[in-house]
Amino acid sequence: MIENLTLFLILGPALLALVVYGAPRRLYGPLVVLSSALLFSAALLAWLLHAQSVAIALPAWTHAAIVLLDFALIGYFLWVGVRQNHRLIVLLALLQGALLGWVLYALSAAPLAEIVVDKLGATLWLLVTGVGGLIAWYAVGYMRHESDSPRRQQAFVAILIAFLGVMNALFVADSIELFFLLFELTTLSSFILIGWRRDAASRLSSLQALWMNQLGGVLLLLGMGVIIWQGAPLFFSALLESQSGWALGAAAFLIAGALIKGAQMPFDRWLLGAMVAPTPVSAILHSSTMVKIAPFMVLKLGVLLHGTPLAVAVAYFGGFVFVAGAFVALARNHLKEILAYSTISLLGLMVMLSAVATPLALSAALTLILFHGVAKAMLFMEAGVLEKLHHAKSVDEMGGMLSRAPMSVFLVLLGFASITLPPFGALVGKWVAIEASAQSAFLFLFVALGSVVIALLYFKVAGYMLGKPGSQMGLTIERIPRVFSVTTLLLGVTLALSAILIAPTLVYLIVPAIEPFAPGSEIAHKGLTLMLPSGDLPFWQIVGAWLLLLLLPLAGLKRMRRVDRVREYSGGERIEMQPVTFYFPTPRWIVRAMAIIGAIFFGLIVLLGGVLWVA
Amino acid sequence: MIKQLHIPLGSQHAALLEPLRLDFSTENERIVSVRSDMGYVHRGVEHACMNRFDFKKVPFVVARVCGLCAITHSTAAVLATEQIVECMVSERAQWLRMLALEFDRIHSHMLCLAHVAESSGYEALFMHTMMERERVMEAQEILSGNRVQFDYATLGGVTRDMDSQCAQALLAKVGALKSVLSGLRDRFEANWSTQMRFKGVGAITLEEAYRLGTVGPIARAAGVRTDIRIESSHLPYRALGFEPIVALEGDLYARNRLRLEEIAQSIELIERILEGLPEGAHLSKVRGRPKGEAMARIEAPRGELFYYVRGNGGAIFERLRIRTPTYANLKAFEAIFLGQEYSSIPAILASLDPCMSCTAK
Amino acid sequence: MFKALIEALLNLFKKPDTLTPKEAAARAPVSGSRGAIGYSEEACIFCLKCEKACPPAAILFIRDAAGKESYHHNPYLCIYCGECVRACPKPDEALWQEERPVLSSSDPAISKRWFAMEKEAVASKVRYKKAKR
Amino acid sequence: MGGVVGWLLILLAPLIGGVLYGMERKLKARMQRRAGPPLMQPFYDFFKLIDKRPMVVHSLHGYLGILHFLGMWLALAVLLSGGDLLMVIFMHLLANSFLIVAAFSVRSVYSQLGGMRQLLAILAYEPIFLLAGVGFYFLSGSFEAKAVFELSSAPLWAMWGIVIAIIIVMPAKLKKSPFDMAEAHQEIIGGAEIEYSGLFYEALYTARWLEYLFAYAFIVLFGGANWLLGLALAAVVFLLVTLVDNATTRLNWQQTVAITLGLSLPLGAINLLLIGIQ
Amino acid sequence: MRRTEITPDRLLGEVRAFYDPTRWRFLTVNATDTGAELLIDWIFVPIGRDEEPVILSSCVAYQAPLPSLAALIPASALGEAEMCDLLGVAFEGAKPGLFLEPDAPRAPLLKTPRERDDD
Amino acid sequence: MRLERFRKKSPWILHYNAGSCNGCDIEILACLAPRYDVERLGILNRGNPKQADILLVTGPVTHRSRDRLVELYTQMAEPKVVVAVGSCTCSGGIFRHMYHVGDGVDQFIPVDSYVAGCAARPEQIIEGVARALEILEHKSHEIERPFQLRGPLYCSGEQTIRRQMAAKVSDETN
Ligand code: NFV
Ligand code: SF4
Ligand code: SF4
Ligand code: SF4
């Protein structure tokens, strides 16, 4: 059963994408909904049925197909580079080709299954198909507001759906060779989708994304090279079992490659550039699923790193990015940019936790991966709604959005709250994070500082949206197309429900997924009470905070009676005050310094890889 | 990104004693431009003095231009009028006028200092300064019978004489004040937080001070050696051996110190006046009606106060013109505000010691 | 800061500068303090010098048909300058300034009544002049 | 704490907080050589505020004030019931976030500046409190306040640096000079509070009492099992904070953030390092 | 009071000729309604010395346009605005409204106050 | 419990200078200083109309400040009292009949306590405030309107919109 589901989850999206693309205009919307539902049910079923790891060996011909596809991709990149006259891309493509050729040349077949479905993979499928499916659905509505031809719109949505298959496969690929292909496929989809709008900015951003991700590919290939050099099989499971130094070296390269995909500094620019693309792109590729490759990779190899200087380097790198990303975000003004940087920042935290690799830390990391995915997807979708329906892109234009788009603002606030306030998943993740990182030196300082800065960031933006309500602020729910409201509300409800059920959620969703990597997690629950070894989160606190946060929107809807309305104090003058906000201009040198520090960390990781390999 | 945010201050505001409206455009709280409206207190005193009140009432009316420097207004009006009516003012009366002026300076400066402390969030220092200020207020009551509006200077002299008992009481009050002055200075200066808050804040350069025509403590704190007490001979300040105090930095810190030093100086002057008070009548008769024109300048607590009077032989002035020190300084305010943090504005404003009721009359 | 800290600490043990209600009540105004304006009709010779001298016109004399003047004073208009007393030929007898200040009032009519009185004072003089002519 | 005492304290919190606030006002007045208000003044204010005609800028704003109060109570309850210290801090953030959102939701520059500065104040003190939480964890092996109260040797001795750090940021938390820029009466007239009146201001006013109690209860933790020592420490800090309030001017937000973080964060970190080494 | 008579168009030249901000302070501009015309005085006082002030003056018709000193002496703008407000002097660049509200009398310090423009 | 009792014990002040000469204002400031320490009576200077119970006005109300005065007054929640401090505030004082003043605050808003003096002494001010507090204790929660408000208050359902209340005056006077 699992095998079939796996195949469906991997290949199904491509098929469905074809159907969606080819479907008549009228049918394509429902078809997207249907595909999303199908995929999600499959993922849910797989998750429910999953008992232990299932290995799936692919038929021999697939190897040839993989190789073919690999070269096709690299060839395509080369072509893009030549056509766009982008030397770096050409160079990297050639490098990739050479490295790949060499790897393939030295590769010897191993009797291992290419795909291993473990609980972690099954859990991540839920995220990919759940969030991704909703985004695809949302994209149907979103693309109607684009100037594209219907055919092209359908193509766009189809690519999104097909992409889900890639991600599904990626999270269960055991063969690094296969993983490389999938990695390159995500690069390709990034490139295509970022460049979707075909204007100058899109072109530049997409090319930037391409070369940076190619560099990631090169690093992956280097990692593979190390493994091949040692004559070891090109599989994660094999890699994890070998205890020698070269394995660490290989892991370092693999992780470094993944970190680029996770847009960790100094490679943050490409994710920022993704802003120019239609919003669903940002939502699906760059916040909720694709960038998660970075923490996923660290999480996967975490056990191998455990206790090595490499782990320390990666952890501090992650911690640094957490704080630095939040700081840089403070200075930003476009909502999407802010969201992008806070994604980078939080990815840093996940990377850090994955590198710490204690059961608690891994649980925290996975919690963050999941809930951040849900929250960020929702936030990006709302950003899209604000952009499309209210023509507000920068935070300035959102002054007083509350009176125009209460529902969107409310959901944005919910999204922000879910990352900064108890009892939401992401915050609980952070809480667990501190409790986990407290055991390992000073990492928690990063967590403490970073979470405060993130809170500052979010409240600042939230405040701005609330800034200028109309004179008599009654909240009337605005009319927005059903696609938008249903998709975002579903995510919102997920956040709200998971918040009150956070204890069971953690115990039944997160812990089993982490178990195989770091057995002996001490997270438990009693009813709604969440219990960690170092402290409890009793149910009444969860419920209390939840009620307060839920009372708020209810309160907003209920007008007070028998209470006078008065105008704001303005020193006795009858002037309308305008909303204000601070901006925190991060001086250029700080941004540069942060990039440099990031680069040093990054270089250190790669260097450590090299040293460990040689040693 | 909208970088400029407008922060209005006033017309009613906790940091303001008087209605005044400042509209700051700020970047992150840093002032980039300011617009002001200082006409809230315009009552039309000049008009009333030219239409309703006869010249003998004018000193009492113009005293109500401002309660902080009431005595300077009435003295200036009196000094100007005395030039164009027949009257002999005794030396004693002139000395007593100086005495009242110096008291007024002390109380005004102390109020300003207290207000600076309050505006910078140092409530205890505000209380402390106000507590010490009570001594001056009491002295003023002993001197004139009222705490604020002295109604002391009048045409031909002063409204009441002073006996030796009164002089003793005054000496005791200023003596007590003198003894606490150094402690007060310590609290303004020997404190890291006041230094952080005041040093280099709200500064004006010497050049600007000249260019913008500043007067009074603001000018002196920036290094301009200007003091009407030496620049005019309406009042016999020279007999007291007077030398103006000047500071260099021109910032809030310097202005605080300058005011404290001027308080000490005024105390000294008061002691000298009480010591060498000449004998004579405190009040002499005024004959005739104002005819011709005259001007008078005196050093008010905030700087140069100018009165111009013109009579045509009638009981009512043909023209009375007041130019107050704050009025002269207003242009400099803008220059001082620019580039400051909004959070320092109340303190800066307090230290500039603006007086809108003087300005708008 | 430390000096200020210590001083604040020491202040805890000093008697507060605040007047207690009793002290405040017992505290007579400073001798010579300028307070309420007192008037005695018996001593007054109705020279009207005080009315003329008063800057805010807080003293009004209203003349009835018989030419009898009645004195009116508005303590809520008076500026307590003492000019009236200085102008009065019989200071301390007809008109004097007390040391105690005037107490507050809640009578909402003070202002209105005075407006009427101001008109009346002018009118009464005109009327009287006319009648005399 | 925990147990019946804890819950009793939680119930009576506004009362105790009110008295604490009254004491502070009295103390402050005496330090300024004034007689000061009666001890029960906060309660007089309380009853008066109930009696005012209710008035809001808009409903949401009013509700948010009440939510702020409830949130503060919840945060206090988490602390006094011996809950997880990190959660205590997050709950406190939750409570404050209502106020901040409220501050931004009205069209008043002062309110919004207040909200902004409140955020910055949080930036200034929150990391230190998190640091303290971790410090307690190092000593007791648990993040729970309960566990701290079982420590036989008072954490005060081991966590000296953090105690000092907390004392440094305390004014920022309680909105006292020199770090009271969030309230800054003379600049932004109370900041976030400015648009509240009557009953709704009441919520903020009482939330402030709770905030006092919250802050000082956190200090009591440093006494460990020896809660008398903790109380004494809290009393000393109380006196100290009031004294400093009466001996300094207000600093602006840049200075505040620089001083609090620049001074207390390294101090706390070094202290933690030392604890870690042991 | 010693006056130097000038004509308005010579004002700027005259002032430039002697005005040194470190030696002279511009005290104020003053206007007096003599009943037939306006007497305008520009008063300069010495800084730090007890000397006679310099008074430049000029008699002009009520509505005659007058040059502004603001470019040379920033502090003069205020005085000019006030004179414009209270006496209706037509200084270059000065607008009424510094002190007076819309419903107040126009140019109240003139001997025969002007009618309000709007009624 | 009779809540009215507490009004007297915690009167918060808003001070507005409607064109005074500052004389009375500095005496109000002196009331806050240690010598007279009005906080002993529970008095706090809030500087914010919304949280104030007593409006201390000084000055004869100049034309430019009258709108502001009324605006601030309407922003105060009932029960509230107004204390006119100083002769010029009670009746215009020396400024009476000048062309840019309104001859006393009671031309604009109801005054509960008139404090004489020029300048009013701190003792007088405190006494005047005390008198106003007696009145405050017996006031109802009914809306109090500024005098220059003509026409009905804007009400929707059970709530009164105080914004309009102030705007009316502005329309009238400008
Ligand atoms: N400006 C001014 Fe005055 C002073 N000093 C004026 O003569 O205070 Ni009101
Ligand atoms: S004291 Fe002055 S104001 Fe009062 S009645 Fe006498 S002259 Fe008039
Ligand atoms: S001046 Fe004296 S005597 Fe003359 S009317 Fe007045 S009170 Fe009477
Ligand atoms: S009553 Fe007198 S002292 Fe008080 S403000 Fe009015 S004019 Fe000034």
Short mmCIF file of all heavy atoms in Angstrom, two decimals, chain B residues 71 96-104 136-146 150 152 159-162 166-167 169-170 274, chain C residues 30-32 34:
data_model
loop_
_atom_site.label_atom_id
_atom_site.label_comp_id
_atom_site.label_asym_id
_atom_site.label_seq_id
_atom_site.Cartn_x
_atom_site.Cartn_y
_atom_site.Cartn_z
N ILE B 71 7.54 91.88 35.79
CA ILE B 71 8.22 93.08 36.28
C ILE B 71 9.08 93.72 35.20
O ILE B 71 9.21 94.93 35.12
CB ILE B 71 9.04 92.75 37.55
CG1 ILE B 71 9.66 94.00 38.15
CG2 ILE B 71 10.10 91.74 37.28
CD1 ILE B 71 8.65 94.97 38.68
N LEU B 96 15.70 99.84 43.57
CA LEU B 96 14.65 98.88 43.93
C LEU B 96 14.12 98.17 42.69
O LEU B 96 13.80 96.98 42.72
CB LEU B 96 13.51 99.58 44.68
CG LEU B 96 13.85 99.97 46.11
CD1 LEU B 96 12.72 100.78 46.73
CD2 LEU B 96 14.13 98.73 46.96
N ARG B 97 14.04 98.91 41.60
CA ARG B 97 13.61 98.26 40.36
C ARG B 97 14.59 97.16 39.97
O ARG B 97 14.18 96.06 39.56
CB ARG B 97 13.52 99.29 39.23
CG ARG B 97 12.29 100.18 39.33
CD ARG B 97 12.34 101.26 38.29
NE ARG B 97 11.19 102.15 38.42
CZ ARG B 97 11.04 103.25 37.70
NH1 ARG B 97 11.96 103.60 36.82
NH2 ARG B 97 9.97 103.99 37.86
N MET B 98 15.86 97.48 40.09
CA MET B 98 16.86 96.45 39.77
C MET B 98 16.69 95.23 40.67
O MET B 98 16.80 94.10 40.24
CB MET B 98 18.28 97.01 39.95
CG MET B 98 18.70 97.95 38.85
SD MET B 98 20.47 98.17 38.83
CE MET B 98 20.79 98.91 40.40
N LEU B 99 16.41 95.52 41.92
CA LEU B 99 16.24 94.44 42.88
C LEU B 99 15.12 93.50 42.42
O LEU B 99 15.27 92.28 42.35
CB LEU B 99 15.90 95.03 44.25
CG LEU B 99 15.71 94.03 45.38
CD1 LEU B 99 17.03 93.39 45.72
CD2 LEU B 99 15.14 94.71 46.61
N ALA B 100 13.99 94.11 42.07
CA ALA B 100 12.86 93.29 41.64
C ALA B 100 13.21 92.52 40.37
O ALA B 100 12.87 91.34 40.22
CB ALA B 100 11.65 94.17 41.40
N LEU B 101 13.93 93.19 39.48
CA LEU B 101 14.32 92.51 38.23
C LEU B 101 15.18 91.29 38.51
O LEU B 101 15.01 90.24 37.90
CB LEU B 101 15.09 93.48 37.33
CG LEU B 101 14.27 94.49 36.56
CD1 LEU B 101 15.19 95.46 35.83
CD2 LEU B 101 13.38 93.79 35.57
N GLU B 102 16.10 91.45 39.45
CA GLU B 102 17.00 90.32 39.72
C GLU B 102 16.24 89.16 40.37
O GLU B 102 16.49 88.00 40.09
CB GLU B 102 18.17 90.75 40.59
CG GLU B 102 19.14 91.71 39.90
CD GLU B 102 19.52 91.24 38.50
OE1 GLU B 102 19.95 90.09 38.33
OE2 GLU B 102 19.35 92.05 37.56
N PHE B 103 15.32 89.50 41.24
CA PHE B 103 14.49 88.43 41.82
C PHE B 103 13.73 87.70 40.73
O PHE B 103 13.64 86.48 40.70
CB PHE B 103 13.51 89.00 42.85
CG PHE B 103 14.05 89.00 44.23
CD1 PHE B 103 14.27 90.18 44.92
CD2 PHE B 103 14.38 87.80 44.85
CE1 PHE B 103 14.79 90.17 46.20
CE2 PHE B 103 14.88 87.79 46.13
CZ PHE B 103 15.10 88.97 46.80
N ASP B 104 13.20 88.52 39.85
CA ASP B 104 12.42 87.91 38.77
C ASP B 104 13.30 86.98 37.95
O ASP B 104 12.88 85.89 37.56
CB ASP B 104 11.87 89.03 37.88
CG ASP B 104 10.95 88.48 36.82
OD1 ASP B 104 9.92 87.90 37.19
OD2 ASP B 104 11.28 88.59 35.63
N VAL B 136 12.42 81.93 46.67
CA VAL B 136 12.40 83.17 45.89
C VAL B 136 10.98 83.70 45.82
O VAL B 136 10.75 84.91 45.92
CB VAL B 136 12.91 82.91 44.46
CG1 VAL B 136 13.19 84.21 43.77
CG2 VAL B 136 14.14 82.05 44.50
N MET B 137 10.04 82.78 45.63
CA MET B 137 8.66 83.24 45.53
C MET B 137 8.26 83.95 46.81
O MET B 137 7.58 84.98 46.78
CB MET B 137 7.72 82.05 45.28
CG MET B 137 8.02 81.26 44.04
SD MET B 137 8.11 82.26 42.57
CE MET B 137 6.38 82.50 42.21
N GLU B 138 8.68 83.38 47.93
CA GLU B 138 8.34 84.03 49.19
C GLU B 138 9.02 85.38 49.31
O GLU B 138 8.42 86.36 49.77
CB GLU B 138 8.73 83.12 50.36
CG GLU B 138 7.67 82.07 50.63
CD GLU B 138 8.19 80.90 51.42
OE1 GLU B 138 9.27 81.01 52.02
OE2 GLU B 138 7.51 79.85 51.43
N ALA B 139 10.28 85.42 48.88
CA ALA B 139 10.99 86.70 48.92
C ALA B 139 10.25 87.73 48.09
O ALA B 139 10.10 88.89 48.48
CB ALA B 139 12.41 86.52 48.41
N GLN B 140 9.79 87.29 46.94
CA GLN B 140 9.08 88.23 46.07
C GLN B 140 7.81 88.73 46.73
O GLN B 140 7.43 89.89 46.60
CB GLN B 140 8.75 87.55 44.74
CG GLN B 140 9.99 87.34 43.93
CD GLN B 140 9.76 86.55 42.65
OE1 GLN B 140 10.60 86.57 41.80
NE2 GLN B 140 8.63 85.88 42.54
N GLU B 141 7.17 87.84 47.46
CA GLU B 141 5.95 88.27 48.14
C GLU B 141 6.28 89.29 49.22
O GLU B 141 5.57 90.27 49.40
CB GLU B 141 5.22 87.06 48.73
CG GLU B 141 3.89 87.47 49.31
CD GLU B 141 2.97 86.30 49.55
OE1 GLU B 141 3.42 85.15 49.44
OE2 GLU B 141 1.79 86.56 49.87
N ILE B 142 7.39 89.02 49.90
CA ILE B 142 7.79 89.98 50.92
C ILE B 142 8.07 91.33 50.29
O ILE B 142 7.67 92.38 50.79
CB ILE B 142 9.06 89.47 51.65
CG1 ILE B 142 8.71 88.22 52.45
CG2 ILE B 142 9.63 90.54 52.56
CD1 ILE B 142 9.92 87.53 53.03
N LEU B 143 8.73 91.28 49.14
CA LEU B 143 9.13 92.52 48.48
C LEU B 143 7.93 93.29 47.94
O LEU B 143 7.81 94.50 48.12
CB LEU B 143 10.10 92.20 47.35
CG LEU B 143 10.59 93.38 46.53
CD1 LEU B 143 11.50 94.25 47.37
CD2 LEU B 143 11.33 92.91 45.29
N SER B 144 7.02 92.56 47.27
CA SER B 144 6.01 93.28 46.50
C SER B 144 4.59 93.00 46.94
O SER B 144 3.67 93.65 46.48
CB SER B 144 6.14 92.91 45.02
OG SER B 144 5.69 91.59 44.85
N GLY B 145 4.43 92.00 47.77
CA GLY B 145 3.07 91.69 48.21
C GLY B 145 2.38 90.67 47.33
O GLY B 145 1.25 90.30 47.57
N ASN B 146 3.05 90.23 46.32
CA ASN B 146 2.46 89.22 45.47
C ASN B 146 3.56 88.28 45.00
O ASN B 146 4.71 88.68 44.87
CB ASN B 146 1.78 89.88 44.27
CG ASN B 146 0.55 89.12 43.83
OD1 ASN B 146 0.36 87.98 44.25
ND2 ASN B 146 -0.26 89.73 42.99
N PHE B 150 4.17 91.35 40.36
CA PHE B 150 4.62 92.24 41.44
C PHE B 150 3.87 93.56 41.46
O PHE B 150 3.62 94.12 42.50
CB PHE B 150 6.10 92.57 41.28
CG PHE B 150 7.00 91.38 41.23
CD1 PHE B 150 8.33 91.53 40.86
CD2 PHE B 150 6.55 90.12 41.56
CE1 PHE B 150 9.18 90.45 40.82
CE2 PHE B 150 7.39 89.05 41.51
CZ PHE B 150 8.71 89.20 41.13
N TYR B 152 5.14 96.25 40.78
CA TYR B 152 6.08 96.96 41.64
C TYR B 152 6.53 98.26 41.00
O TYR B 152 6.50 99.32 41.62
CB TYR B 152 7.27 96.03 41.90
CG TYR B 152 8.17 96.46 43.03
CD1 TYR B 152 7.65 96.63 44.31
CD2 TYR B 152 9.52 96.66 42.83
CE1 TYR B 152 8.47 97.02 45.35
CE2 TYR B 152 10.35 97.03 43.86
CZ TYR B 152 9.82 97.22 45.13
OH TYR B 152 10.64 97.58 46.15
N THR B 159 6.03 100.93 43.72
CA THR B 159 4.77 101.11 44.45
C THR B 159 4.93 101.03 45.96
O THR B 159 4.10 101.52 46.68
CB THR B 159 3.74 100.06 44.03
OG1 THR B 159 4.36 98.79 44.11
CG2 THR B 159 3.23 100.33 42.64
N ARG B 160 5.94 100.33 46.42
CA ARG B 160 6.10 100.32 47.88
C ARG B 160 7.57 100.37 48.26
O ARG B 160 8.42 99.88 47.54
CB ARG B 160 5.41 99.12 48.49
CG ARG B 160 5.86 97.78 47.97
CD ARG B 160 5.42 96.68 48.88
NE ARG B 160 4.04 96.27 48.59
CZ ARG B 160 3.37 95.43 49.36
NH1 ARG B 160 3.93 94.95 50.45
NH2 ARG B 160 2.15 95.06 49.04
N ASP B 161 7.80 100.97 49.39
CA ASP B 161 9.17 101.12 49.86
C ASP B 161 9.60 99.87 50.59
O ASP B 161 8.80 98.97 50.83
CB ASP B 161 9.25 102.35 50.77
CG ASP B 161 10.67 102.87 50.82
OD1 ASP B 161 11.53 102.31 50.09
OD2 ASP B 161 10.92 103.82 51.58
N MET B 162 10.86 99.87 50.96
CA MET B 162 11.34 98.71 51.68
C MET B 162 11.99 99.16 52.98
O MET B 162 12.80 100.08 52.99
CB MET B 162 12.35 97.97 50.83
CG MET B 162 12.74 96.66 51.43
SD MET B 162 13.72 95.72 50.29
CE MET B 162 15.02 96.83 50.00
N CYS B 166 12.44 94.19 56.11
CA CYS B 166 12.17 93.52 54.85
C CYS B 166 13.49 93.14 54.18
O CYS B 166 13.66 92.02 53.69
CB CYS B 166 11.36 94.49 53.99
SG CYS B 166 11.10 93.91 52.32
N ALA B 167 14.44 94.06 54.21
CA ALA B 167 15.74 93.77 53.60
C ALA B 167 16.39 92.57 54.27
O ALA B 167 16.97 91.70 53.60
CB ALA B 167 16.64 95.00 53.72
N ALA B 169 14.89 90.11 55.74
CA ALA B 169 14.17 88.89 55.33
C ALA B 169 14.62 88.44 53.95
O ALA B 169 14.86 87.26 53.69
CB ALA B 169 12.68 89.15 55.36
N LEU B 170 14.76 89.43 53.06
CA LEU B 170 15.19 89.10 51.71
C LEU B 170 16.58 88.50 51.72
O LEU B 170 16.86 87.50 51.04
CB LEU B 170 15.15 90.34 50.82
CG LEU B 170 13.77 90.94 50.55
CD1 LEU B 170 13.89 92.11 49.60
CD2 LEU B 170 12.84 89.89 49.98
N LEU B 274 21.03 95.43 48.20
CA LEU B 274 20.50 95.63 49.55
C LEU B 274 21.52 96.32 50.43
O LEU B 274 21.18 97.08 51.32
CB LEU B 274 20.08 94.29 50.14
CG LEU B 274 18.83 93.68 49.50
CD1 LEU B 274 18.58 92.29 50.02
CD2 LEU B 274 17.61 94.56 49.75
N VAL C 30 1.93 86.45 54.06
CA VAL C 30 3.06 87.30 54.40
C VAL C 30 2.55 88.71 54.66
O VAL C 30 1.62 89.18 54.01
CB VAL C 30 4.04 87.32 53.23
CG1 VAL C 30 5.19 88.27 53.50
CG2 VAL C 30 4.53 85.92 52.94
N SER C 31 3.15 89.37 55.62
CA SER C 31 2.65 90.71 55.93
C SER C 31 2.87 91.60 54.71
O SER C 31 3.92 91.58 54.09
CB SER C 31 3.39 91.26 57.15
OG SER C 31 4.35 92.17 56.76
N GLY C 32 1.84 92.32 54.35
CA GLY C 32 1.93 93.15 53.15
C GLY C 32 1.46 92.46 51.91
O GLY C 32 1.46 93.02 50.83
N ARG C 34 -0.82 91.16 49.06
CA ARG C 34 -1.93 91.90 48.46
C ARG C 34 -3.13 90.99 48.22
O ARG C 34 -3.14 90.19 47.30
CB ARG C 34 -1.48 92.53 47.15
CG ARG C 34 -0.26 93.42 47.29
CD ARG C 34 -0.16 94.43 46.19
NE ARG C 34 -0.37 93.86 44.88
CZ ARG C 34 0.61 93.51 44.05
NH1 ARG C 34 1.87 93.65 44.42
NH2 ARG C 34 0.35 93.02 42.88
#
